[in-house]
Amino acid sequence: MKSCFPNPQDPTSKPLSPNPIITISIPTTTLSSLSDDLLLECLSRVPSSSLPSISLVCRRWSLLLQSPSFLYLRRLHHLIHPTIFTLSAPFAASLRLPDDNDADTNDPLWKVASCLPFPVASLDSLSHARLSAIGSRIYIIGRNEMFCYDVWSGIITSRSSMIYPRKKFATAVLSGKIYVAGGGSRAGAALEEYDPDTDTWRVVAQATRRRYGCIGAAVDGVFYVIGGLKIGAALENEVTRPAAAGAEAYVYASSMDLFDVESRLWLRSRAVPGGGCVVAACAVAGYVYILTSHAVELSFCRFDARRRGGGGSNGKGFGEWCRIKSPPLPAQVRLDSTVRFSCVGVENKVVLIQVSGCIDDLLRRSGRNVRGLKEGLVLVYDCISGVWSRGPHLPEEVPKALLPVANRPVLSYVLEQLELSNLKDLIVVVEGEDAAIQVGGWISNAYVDRLHVEVAAVHEDVGTAGALRAIAHHLTANDILVVSGDLVFDVPPGALAAAHRKHNAVVTTMLCPAPVSGPTESGSSGGKDKIKKPRRYNIIGLDPSKQFLLHIATGAEVEKDIRIQKSILRAVGQMEIRADLMDAHMYAFKRSVLQEVLDEKDEFQSLKEDVLPYLVRSQLKSELLFNGVPQAEESGNEKVGSQNNQAVVSQIMANASTPSFHELSSGSSGSTHVRRIHKCCAYIASKSSYCQRLNSIQAFSDINRDVIGDASRLSGYSFSAHNNIIHPSAQLGSRTTVGPHCMLWEGSQMGDKCSVKRSVIGRHCRIGSNVKVVNSVVMNHVTIGDGCSIQGSVICSNAQLQERAVLKDCQVGAGFVVTAGSEHKGESLARK
């Protein structure tokens, strides 16, 4: 510190002038001229939304944002939090875990990040991908491709693939580089290293043991390759399981190899105490935590991987094994290919995530009735307190709008028809924020530069009327078109809009022929075709011109006695009652009237069951105004009122296309009669058009069959000479037949002597030999064992059918396991 005032004892000092003039020169300083430590202090405080833009300023800033110091400062400022990232391509989700400085620690929830923009051809190579995180970037390593996902910008970029194709391999990150080992005979014993800065792979060592299905972890400069199966030495392509390969293979499943990345040396291997088969492992705070499965129990232990000096090739300096509390799963649960877990370390916690199968089903098969352990179970182990706790379950994978119809999201059929009618300014309303993010991500990837779509999330169970209330401030046009997202059709929406404007109607609804339900052929050989039974959806009343909607009964009212207003019959003379038409849930509304009804009738929840019937019932009722005061219509002579009503409605029908019919007035001295009547119109689709809603399991089956059958014009695919669709990457065994009106999609494999008739099979399914699939829908990643028979059923994603299972007219939920040799007819098989 130095005084700015003169020292009076100093003879050389001069006294201050009464009005001193002080000139201060302030040098100009920019952020770029700051040193790295000061610049990091500034950058670490910017909002998260600005990080993608900041990384583009210059290479120096981009490198600083990827440095460990930047992440450390962000964490100090409570701007980043421990987060788990999960991938089920193309969908991703993240779970923010509470930390010590987090005020909101009560209810962490999974948030669906987006539908990641992977190239379609890449999904097959990602079926056994591994994930590695370096800073804010997640590297998704597939067999033949690798991608880098920047969680700040949401951008995916392609990176160099591994030198050797692998699957089910071990991977870990050390000193900002990725290491992989194991995972197939083609890779041999090669251990590869990836440098993100140069985007290059290189082989740095040869493994002492060749493993398949192994797990990777990294602590203190050592890469751990844990568990897995032995790749046979005699036969290069043989993968032997522990039970069949003897003691040597058993050693592989319960041991780990250690590689020192600095010295490029393999250290002494370690055996897991108690043996067993390693099913999950991760590194946390200097320890390697391992979950092993035994014949009748699970065990959980940790290895002290902190090096206490020296280390060297003999592996000295490590700690010991310690048996710790096992996860709170039912006793005598054996984890196998049916139920699988993944493990990840986050700060001082081990997070165990069930990635497939259902423990409820596993226990039910052994006669035990336990509930609550579904697929997606998340368990969290606190390494400090030693306590296990339950985390939030993994989110559902596919919202209804993205359910596959001929392996395309059902919503794509709606958007395609709107685009063909040049209706490109759209609002897609989705129940639930997570589902809205998934749908929005898919739309942005599939319809980039084609449609202007705004995705709005509303609360669940608000109904269609409640959804329109929630987005009312977004509706500005005079007329709006409302289409259900589960509608599959080829009727031009523009035709409905034109009819609506022609008649100046309050509402115009599209009516289409009621669909018949059921397959057109039986699965038995030589059997006769099943008869499709028509179903009653609505009771519709139309005027003689079939342009005006005079009566509609929906829901439970369809089964009741029909009640028709006398005034309608007097007015129109005759009414045509139709039970063979269905309200397609496509409406054109006059916005002002719709918003008025929604505001006044806040109890209305459904457009189809509340708003539309109300508008139809009230279209012949008038509002009488005497000097501006509403009066009841029934006052006065009923006969006169009926005659007036008849005259008014007759004029409506006679002058339907004139804009002046909407308000008819008459009056006498001292009062004014204004009869305000609105029009409800109908647009009837031709019998040759296709229109169905995916609002039931039976409809899901019917629509899938139709789109690859009689309504194949909707699919957008090119059919083969055999009138079927088989993806080039699909594999067929010897003497396997895929009949007409069938679809076998990418990456799926079928064994020998299989038969597929009028069915849709999704992506990456594994089907054994002698399997029959008839009139069924099989979604993605389904495993079907040898000798299974499936007829008239829906099999959801990740389900497993063991050998010789027989299903007829069943629905199998996602992840459900159908036991070997079981027979089911007309059942719904799902986790409870």
Side-chain angles (χ1 to χ4, degrees), residues 515-553:
V516 289
S517 177
T520 57
E521 68 174 59
S522 66
S524 59
S525 58
K528 294 183 179 180
D529 290 354
K530 291 184 177 180
I531 300 175
K532 287 189 173 186
K533 297 180 179 180
R535 178 182 170 189
R536 181 186 293 180
Y537 288 84
N538 301 107
I539 301 296
I540 305 292
L542 299 171
D543 76 296
S545 68
K546 298 182 178 62
Q547 298 182 74
F548 294 94
L549 185 61
L550 305 177
H551 178 81
I552 184 168

Side-chain angles (χ1 to χ4, degrees), residues 53 105 113 137 151 176 216 248 318 325 346 400 502 524 528 556 572 601 727-728 740 766 824:
S53 302
T105 59
R137 295 174 179 173
V151 297
E248 186 179 4
F318 293 102
K325 184 179 180 180
V346 183
K400 180 183 178 183
K502 172 185 175 182
S524 59
K528 294 183 179 180
V572 299
K601 304 291 183 179
H727 195 273
R766 299 295 180 263
H824 303 273

Side-chain angles (χ1 to χ4, degrees), residues 595-728:
Q595 290 186 343
E596 181 181 350
V597 172
L598 294 178
D599 291 341
E600 294 180 357
K601 304 291 183 179
D602 55 1
E603 71 276 11
F604 283 179
Q605 291 187 331
S606 170
L607 292 178
K608 180 177 180 178
E609 298 185 4
D610 295 324
V611 176
L612 180 61
Y614 171 77
L615 291 173
V616 172
R617 288 194 308 268
S618 60
Q619 65 179 326
L620 300 184
K621 295 180 180 179
S622 62
E623 195 177 75
L624 303 180
L625 300 179
F626 291 94
N627 296 324
V629 180
Q631 302 291 330
E633 183 186 5
E634 291 74 18
S635 60
N637 187 284
E638 182 180 355
K639 183 175 181 180
V640 174
S642 299
Q643 292 174 348
N644 290 340
N645 225 8
Q646 180 178 357
V648 170
V649 176
S650 298
Q651 187 169 350
I652 292 175
M653 302 308 168
N655 303 282
S657 61
T658 62
S660 60
F661 105 102
H662 189 68
E663 289 191 0
L664 301 175
S665 62
S666 62
S668 60
S669 60
S671 67
T672 301
H673 263 199
V674 179
R675 186 181 290 271
R676 299 179 59 220
I677 299 179
H678 57 258
K679 291 173 286 187
C680 300
C681 295
Y683 177 85
I684 302 178
S686 64
K687 292 184 179 180
S688 61
S689 60
Y690 186 85
C691 182
Q692 278 212 55
R693 286 192 64 195
L694 196 156
N695 53 4
S696 67
I697 295 177
Q698 185 61 57
F700 178 75
S701 301
D702 293 342
I703 294 172
N704 269 278
R705 282 191 293 266
D706 291 343
V707 170
I708 60 171
D710 298 336
S712 59
R713 61 190 181 277
L714 291 170
S715 67
Y717 299 113
S718 298
F719 285 72
S720 69
H722 301 286
N723 203 20
N724 58 22
I725 306 171
I726 300 178
H727 195 273

